[in-house]
Amino acid sequence: MSESQIIEYKESWRDEYLKWICGFANARGGTLYIGKRDDGSVCGVADSKKLMEDIPNKVRDTLALIVDVDLLNENGLDVIKISVAENPYPVNYKGEYHYRTGSTKQLLQGSSLTNFLLRKTGKNWDSVPLENVSIEDLDKESFDIFHREAVRSGRMSENDLKLSTQQLLENLNLIDEGLLKRAAVLLFHRNPEKWITGSFVKIGFFETDADLRYQDEVHGSLMIQADRVIDLLYTKYLTAEISYDNITRIEHYPFPKDAVREAIFNALIHQDFSVGVPVQISVYRDKLYISNDCVFPSDWTADTLLQKHRSLPHNPDIANTFFRAGFIESWGRGIEKICTLCKEYGIPSPEYTVHSNDIMMLFKAGEPVNEAENEAENEAENEAENEAEKSLSPKDRAVLTLIKGNASITKDELGQKTGFSHATIDRSLKKLKELKIIERIGSDRKGHWKVN
């Protein structure tokens, strides 16, 4: 058995391995074996009797934990097994908080530590209440946007919204013991940056990675940002291919608007606002990047995102309000929806790059679709096919019909079924091939016909 999220091997005991026990306790628990190599093979420990007394005492005195310590005998050698349960409260090693992720131990610092401590106390970052801000300080336009979109999406009815502002906030779970949560301020305050630095969206247009041509910042509540970012992108930053169907003007943008909207809304609800860095959108002529700071579950990768997965928003109160407004899907379907929309639009699915503290999504443009040109091409092809078929004799058509029904049919079989001579069959096949209506794939004996 190899090392994993819940298994670690050490050849001998060192007191610094108390950090590994701390990491297990702060994560999902796990087992530390003393007397085994990294590959799981047994090397044994010589001082097992003393360690059986020392280890439980050191764990208790340093980490304030009680762990199970067992002595095993494998292949005639002593192995110590230390079983660590997940602890409901944060565990520190001399003031440091360690965490087990994958088969490694990490020292938690900065926003990762803040989010870890909040989770252990049963809170999320966006559910922390704020003082010195009241319901009267919130923005009417932001509530108007929420009302409009919630009714439009059908997630809430007009009757559902006939509430006071306080009742609506309570129904959205945005008040905690009379205080507004961070989520409420982010969602509905005109200037949330007064409390939360970097809570805006930054957009830039790049000719190359080093050539920024122009940029904008979208400030205000998340309701206002959600309402305005997409319009700004599609009116100022993205260029549409223009075509005409008779007198109807057709605009085809490089990326489907619904997919980009879903991606930006996902970035806002998963954003780690504690970092103070805004959501960033980088626009090029043929690609678009959306990046945001985030805290992923320790075992998630880019592949996890593209598979079916549970909905686990970093800011669940913000996510709930976005869902009620009809901005996002629930049940972790956002990425699936984005990929489907891109496929239907004729561009590649987005690419994801996951780092320890941020995620970047890349949209790549496909070939522009010109409906008028496609229709003209199809008409030209149909006309060419009709002209080719007009030149076919009844015998040629009979041969073609048999080939359409059986791509493996031979010349002898064509002669038997039609009653035509070999010379007639040869002339029909030659004519059909010259007109590029059929072609022979492979040899005369083992090949087959392809009808174009």
Side-chain angles (χ1 to χ4, degrees), residues 44 98 154 271 372 390 400:
H98 298 269
Q271 168 76 341
K390 286 178 183 177
L400 177 60

Side-chain angles (χ1 to χ4, degrees), residues 132 156 204 406:
N132 302 319
M156 299 181 76
N406 179 8

Side-chain angles (χ1 to χ4, degrees), residues 117-184:
L117 294 174
L118 284 170
R119 287 199 311 273
K120 283 293 186 179
T121 56
K123 287 188 177 292
N124 295 287
W125 183 90
D126 69 337
S127 67
V128 174
L130 291 175
E131 298 196 17
N132 302 319
V133 58
S134 66
I135 293 175
E136 290 71 26
D137 297 325
L138 301 183
D139 177 50
K140 181 181 182 301
E141 182 185 0
S142 299
F143 283 107
D144 289 343
I145 294 170
F146 175 81
H147 287 191
R148 182 191 73 208
E149 296 302 321
V151 171
R152 179 187 297 175
S153 68
R155 298 274 171 84
M156 299 181 76
S157 68
E158 291 282 3
N159 288 331
D160 294 332
L161 295 169
K162 289 179 180 178
L163 304 168
S164 68
T165 300
Q166 179 164 342
Q167 288 173 323
L168 176 61
L169 292 171
E170 288 175 348
N171 286 355
L172 293 172
N173 195 33
L174 297 175
I175 295 179
D176 184 4
E177 297 183 359
L179 295 175
L180 294 176
K181 294 182 179 180
R182 284 172 172 162

Side-chain angles (χ1 to χ4, degrees), residues 255-263 334-350 363:
F255 317 107
K257 185 180 288 188
D258 287 344
V260 173
R261 178 188 291 111
E262 186 80 19
I335 292 176
E336 178 186 343
K337 178 181 177 182
I338 292 168
C339 292
T340 299
L341 289 169
C342 288
K343 182 179 180 181
E344 292 173 350
Y345 205 70
I347 67 171
S349 293
F363 287 94

Side-chain angles (χ1 to χ4, degrees), residues 78-113:
D78 287 342
V79 175
I80 293 178
K81 176 185 177 183
I82 306 170
S83 301
V84 186
E86 178 181 354
N87 204 64
Y89 303 103
V91 177
N92 74 85
Y93 169 81
K94 299 180 180 180
E96 297 177 349
Y97 290 87
H98 298 269
Y99 192 87
R100 180 73 172 187
T101 174
S103 58
T104 65
K105 176 194 67 63
Q106 293 186 359
L107 174 63
L108 296 177
Q109 295 176 310
S111 61
S112 296
L113 175 57

Side-chain angles (χ1 to χ4, degrees), residues 207-220:
E207 284 290 349
T208 66
D209 290 345
D211 185 8
L212 173 63
R213 288 301 179 90
Y214 50 90
Q215 63 180 352
D216 286 284
E217 294 179 356
V218 182
H219 296 267

Side-chain angles (χ1 to χ4, degrees), residues 404-418:
K404 286 181 177 179
N406 179 8
S408 300
I409 196 168
T410 64
K411 291 183 181 180
D412 289 340
E413 290 171 333
L414 286 170
Q416 292 170 5
K417 290 181 179 295
T418 60

